[in-house]
Amino acid sequence: MSTDRTLGGLALLMALVIAGFGWGLVAPFAYEPVGPSAFPLVTAALIGGCGLVLLLRGTGRAEPGVPGAGRGVLILSATLLAYAVLFQPLGFVLSTAAMSLVTARVFGATWAQGLVVGSILALGSFLLFDHGLDVVLPTGVLGELL
Amino acid sequence: METLSFLLSGFAVAATPLNLGLAALGAIVGTMVGVLPGLGPVNAVAMLVPVVFALGLPPESSMILMASIYIGSEYGGRISAILINVPGEASAVMTALEGYPLSRQGKAGIALSLSAWTSFVGSMLATVGIVVAAPILSRWALAFGPIEYVALMVFAFACLAGLLAEQPVKALLAVGIGLALSTVGIDPNSGVYRFTFGMPNLIDGLQFATVVIGLFAISELLLLLESHHAGIPARVERMGRSLFNWSEMRLTNAATLRGSFIGFFIGLLPGAGGTVGSALAYSVEKRIVERQDPEGARFGQGDLRGLASVEAANNSASNSNFIPMLTLGIPSSGTTAIMLGVLTLYNITPGPVLFTAQPELVWGLIASLFIGNVMLLAMNIPFVGLFARMLSVPAWVLVPFIVVVSAVGVYSGKSASFDLVLMVLVGVAAWWLRRLAVPMAPLVLGFVLGKLLEQNLRRALSLSAGDVGILWSSWIAVVLWTAAALTLILPPLLARLRGRKLKIQTQGSME
C-alpha cells in the first residue's frame, strides 16, 4: 500500500480538493487585485504537479516494513486517538493512566511496570501542571475529588 | 564598535538569573534528547512551544531556552554515535564512522572528550561569525521589499528541495502541503473563511503547536515503535582514558578549524544544516589527510582527525543556522523554523527589521549562544557518563511521558479536545509521509513561511495592479529566482552526468 505511487495519487487528490474549494473563494469586497483564492490555487498546482511526477515515475514497490510493527502502530495510533477523545470527558488523570498503561505495554513493559508508569505519570503530571504550573486540566469523572 | 556595545547589552540580557537558568536547563535537556536515538532537538523544541507560553516566558527567554536545546543536542548526538554506533540524531551519522571504531579500541573516553572540545571550538567560531556577519547582512537585507521577499522564500524552498533532499519532488510536495496548511482559517485581507469546513475551531487557523507536535513528536513515537521492534544494540564499551592529551589536540587542530569553516558556510544555506556540513567536512578531511599523511590516515578505523572535523562542522553549522533566521527571517532547519514560528506567536515579525526592532532579543540570543557553549563544554567532559546512562531509560517509560507532555501542551492552548484529535491525525499522517521518505523540514518551513509568503505576494501584486511581471522587476529578485531555478535543475543534471556516482547520503534530515 505504502508506495510512491499511492503518495502521488493522494497528492493529486489533495490538489483537486484544494483547487475545488479554493476556486469558490471570493471576497465580498475586493480591495486588491489578488483575492483569497489565488494562493491556495498556487499551492494546489505545486502539490498536484509533484503528485503527477510521483504517479508517473513511481515504482509501485512497497517499502519493506519491520515485521510485527504494523499491528503495534495500529494499536498505538488507536490508543492515542482514544486518549484525545476521552481526555475531557474521562478527565486527565484517568485517561492518562489508561493511555500510559497501553502505550507502555506496546513498548514491551509488563502489566506491573505499565501500572506503575501509568499511575506515577497521571498523578505526577496532574500535580505538576495543574497545581504547580497553573495549566488547567480537565478533572472529568473524578470531579471534586482532585 | 557599535556591534561590541550591542553584544555587551546582549550579555546583560543573557546573564539575568532566569535566562542563565534557562540556558543551563536547555543545555541539559538538549544533551539528553541528543543522546536518545530518534529524539532530536526538533521534537524537544516542538513540545516546548506551548510550554513557554503556559509559563509566560518573555520572547528572549523562550528563544534562549530553545536555542540552547538546539546546540545542546548537537553535543548529545555524538555520545550515542561513539558509544553504541547509533547516531543520536541525524547530523551525528558521520560521527559514528570514526567514533565507534575508537570506542571499540577502548578509546571511548578520548573520542568523547576530544569531540566535545572540537564541538566547542566549532560552535564558538560560528558564534563569532554570527556577531560579525549578521549585523552586516541585516543592514543589507533592509533593502528587501515584498518583491525580493517572495523571491527569497522561493529560493529557500528550492534550496531545501535541491540541495538537501534525496528526492527533490518529495521535498517540494512537503513544501506544498505546508503552504496549504498555512492557508486554513480566516483570510486577514478579505475576511473570507478558507478551508474551515464550518468548524469554529479552524477559524483562526491551525494552531502552530498542534501541527508541529503532531509532525515531530507524535510521528516520532510511531517510528520509534518500528525501530524498537527492529532492536537497538545498547552495549556500552569500555571508556578508557577520559581526557585527550596535547599531542592528540595538536594532531587535530587543523581538522577542527577546517571543519568549523566548512560547517559555518554550509549552515548559512537554507535547508543544509549539520547533516550536510558534517558529510562535506568529512570527505574534505579524508582527502586532505590521505594526501598529506598517507601512513597515518586511518579513516574508517577510528581517525581522530575525521572525528574532530565532523563534530566541529556539525556544531558550527547549527550555530551559523541562526544567521539566515535572524537576518532574513528564513530558517534553515526544522528547529529554527519552529523557533521562528514561536516568534510570530509573540507578534514579532521575523526579518531584517528584527535587529533594529528587537535588539535585546537578537543580542541576548547571540550572547546566550556563547554562554550555552561554555556550559555545554563544562558539562560534557566530566558528566558524559551520566548522559550516556540516558540510553538505558526504557522506551516504555519515555513514550508515555512524551505523549503526556505533548497532550498537555496542545491542550493548554485553547483547552479544546479538537486540537488533541488534530494532533494525533497530523502525527499519523506525518508518520506515513516520513516512512515514504517525505522530509518534514520543508513541510514545517512551508507552514511557518506560508502566511508571510502570501502576504508579500499579494502586496507585490497590489503594487503592480496584478501584473505578475513585477516579481522579477528588481535585480536582487532576478538573481534569487535564477539561483532558485539552478538549485533545482543543476543537482539532478550533474548527478546524471556523473552517472549517479557521488550522492551524499543524507537521510531526510530531521534536525
Side-chain angles (χ1 to χ4, degrees):
Chain A
M1 242 285 283
S2 298
T3 65
D4 283 5
R5 225 172 255 171
T6 327
L7 179 65
L10 281 179
L12 216 52
L13 194 70
M14 185 180 175
L16 287 177
V17 171
I18 295 174
F21 280 97
W23 202 261
L25 296 170
V26 185
F29 303 100
Y31 302 105
E32 45 173 14
V34 183
S37 68
F39 192 70
L41 290 178
V42 172
T43 64
L46 179 61
I47 295 172
C50 294
L52 205 62
V53 172
L54 285 168
L55 200 61
L56 295 178
R57 233 184 38 187
T59 51
R61 185 167 40 86
E63 293 263 317
V66 183
R71 223 186 91 224
V73 167
L74 210 65
I75 296 174
L76 187 57
S77 318
T79 311
L80 292 175
L81 201 61
Y83 181 50
V85 173
L86 295 175
F87 196 80
Q88 265 178 335
L90 211 55
F92 176 79
V93 176
L94 288 184
S95 61
T96 300
M99 178 280 297
S100 305
L101 175 64
V102 180
T103 318
R105 288 282 299 157
V106 173
F107 278 88
T110 63
W111 283 104
Q113 287 168 329
L115 280 172
V116 171
V117 169
S119 37
I120 292 178
L121 256 183
L123 287 172
S125 51
F126 186 80
L127 290 178
L128 174 70
F129 288 111
D130 194 279
H131 291 237
L133 296 173
D134 281 337
V135 177
V136 180
L137 295 171
T139 49
V141 291
L142 291 182
E144 296 303 305
L145 219 65
L146 295 165
Chain B
M1 275 307 98
E2 198 191 8
T3 304
L4 214 57
S5 72
F6 274 124
L7 186 61
L8 281 178
S9 67
F11 272 103
V13 173
T16 58
L18 172 71
N19 291 342
L20 275 181
L22 288 173
L25 180 71
I28 296 172
V29 172
T31 312
M32 280 174 13
V33 299
V35 169
L36 293 168
L39 268 193
V42 78
N43 316 106
V45 169
M47 280 161 57
L48 270 179
V49 171
V51 176
V52 296
F53 287 98
L55 293 177
L57 292 181
E60 62 275 10
S61 303
S62 303
M63 288 298 111
I64 287 172
L65 176 63
M66 292 181 165
S68 49
I69 288 180
Y70 183 40
I71 57 173
S73 72
E74 301 293 334
Y75 280 79
R78 78 187 208 290
I79 298 176
S80 34
I82 291 170
L83 288 177
I84 60 169
N85 203 20
V86 177
E89 47 111 33
S91 57
V93 174
M94 309 307 285
T95 312
L97 282 184
E98 301 300 328
Y100 186 59
L102 282 167
S103 85
R104 290 300 298 272
Q105 296 156 23
K107 292 179 188 161
I110 301 172
L112 286 169
S113 58
L114 184 75
S115 57
W117 165 248
T118 64
S119 295
F120 174 76
V121 174
S123 287
M124 285 307 237
L125 287 176
T127 312
V128 172
I130 298 178
V131 173
V132 176
I136 301 171
L137 197 59
S138 80
R139 221 166 296 147
W140 177 70
L142 279 175
F144 276 38
I147 302 162
E148 289 81 7
Y149 252 99
V150 171
L152 180 67
M153 283 184 227
V154 172
F155 171 66
F157 293 139
C159 277
L160 268 173
L163 295 181
L164 183 71
E166 259 180 275
Q167 290 161 298
V169 185
K170 290 184 180 173
L172 281 179
L173 176 64
V175 169
I177 297 173
L179 293 175
L181 292 180
S182 79
T183 62
V184 174
I186 192 165
D187 170 36
N189 294 26
S190 64
V192 171
Y193 290 175
R194 296 193 293 191
F195 308 108
T196 53
F197 306 106
M199 284 185 261
N201 279 307
L202 287 179
I203 288 173
D204 48 358
L206 298 168
Q207 295 299 300
F208 182 68
T210 308
V211 174
V212 292
I213 289 180
L215 282 180
F216 293 102
I218 302 297
S219 71
E220 193 68 58
L221 299 181
L222 292 165
L223 286 176
L224 205 64
L225 189 60
E226 289 177 282
S227 62
H228 176 76
H229 271 259
I232 301 170
R235 196 163 47 93
V236 175
E237 305 283 332
R238 281 176 304 129
M239 295 292 256
R241 173 156 56 90
S242 67
L243 201 64
F244 58 91
N245 58 28
W246 280 112
S247 69
E248 282 152 357
M249 191 175 142
R250 268 220 312 279
L251 175 73
T252 54
N253 272 342
T256 307
L257 288 179
R258 279 192 288 265
S260 304
F261 278 106
I262 292 171
F264 181 79
F265 287 105
I266 294 292
L268 294 178
L269 292 172
T275 317
V276 179
S278 58
L280 187 64
Y282 183 77
S283 58
V284 167
E285 195 58 35
K286 186 166 183 249
R287 216 167 300 161
I288 291 178
V289 170
E290 279 172 354
R291 190 178 310 144
Q292 288 177 349
D293 179 18
E295 323 277 83
R298 282 190 178 71
F299 278 80
Q301 297 148 31
D303 195 299
L304 287 174
R305 285 162 293 194
L307 180 70
S309 77
V310 165
E311 272 305 306
N314 86 40
N315 284 273
S316 169
S318 33
N319 280 274
S320 68
N321 257 196
F322 283 109
I323 296 180
M325 176 206 155
L326 290 174
T327 58
L328 302 171
I330 302 287
S332 37
S333 65
T335 314
T336 46
I338 295 177
M339 291 177 67
L340 204 73
V342 169
L343 277 185
T344 60
L345 293 180
Y346 279 107
N347 280 327
I348 294 171
T349 315
V353 285
L354 201 62
F355 266 78
T356 40
Q358 303 280 343
E360 286 198 349
L361 183 139
V362 172
W363 290 101
L365 176 62
I366 295 173
S368 80
L369 291 176
F370 283 111
I371 297 175
N373 272 308
V374 175
M375 287 178 175
L376 279 163
L377 182 68
M379 271 178 218
N380 264 280
I381 289 186
F383 301 125
V384 71
L386 225 54
F387 286 118
R389 217 166 290 161
M390 280 298 293
L391 288 167
S392 50
V393 174
W396 51 265
V397 173
L398 208 61
V399 173
F401 176 76
I402 292 170
V403 177
V404 172
V405 175
S406 303
V408 170
V410 166
Y411 184 80
S412 71
K414 289 203 296 190
S415 298
S417 290
F418 175 86
D419 280 299
L420 290 175
V421 176
L422 189 65
M423 166 190 89
V424 175
L425 296 181
V426 169
V428 175
W431 164 77
W432 188 73
L433 288 174
R434 285 172 72 175
R435 284 211 50 199
L436 289 171
V438 177
M440 287 294 112
L443 204 163
V444 75
L445 202 64
F447 182 58
V448 169
L449 294 183
K451 284 203 174 68
L452 228 65
L453 176 59
E454 182 178 14
Q455 285 307 314
N456 279 297
L457 187 65
R458 285 162 85 166
R459 215 169 290 157
L461 291 176
S462 290
L463 293 175
S464 69
D467 178 13
V468 187
I470 193 170
L471 293 179
W472 35 89
S473 63
S474 91
W475 68 268
I476 299 179
V478 170
V479 170
L480 286 167
W481 283 106
T482 319
L486 287 179
T487 42
L488 277 182
I489 297 166
L490 276 184
L493 212 65
L494 286 177
R496 200 162 294 175
L497 284 178
R498 287 189 210 161
R500 295 175 174 275
K501 208 173 67 182
L502 279 168
K503 190 128 204 198
I504 306 170
Q505 298 247 326
T506 48
Q507 29 172 303
S509 178
M510 294 289 111
E511 66 205 272

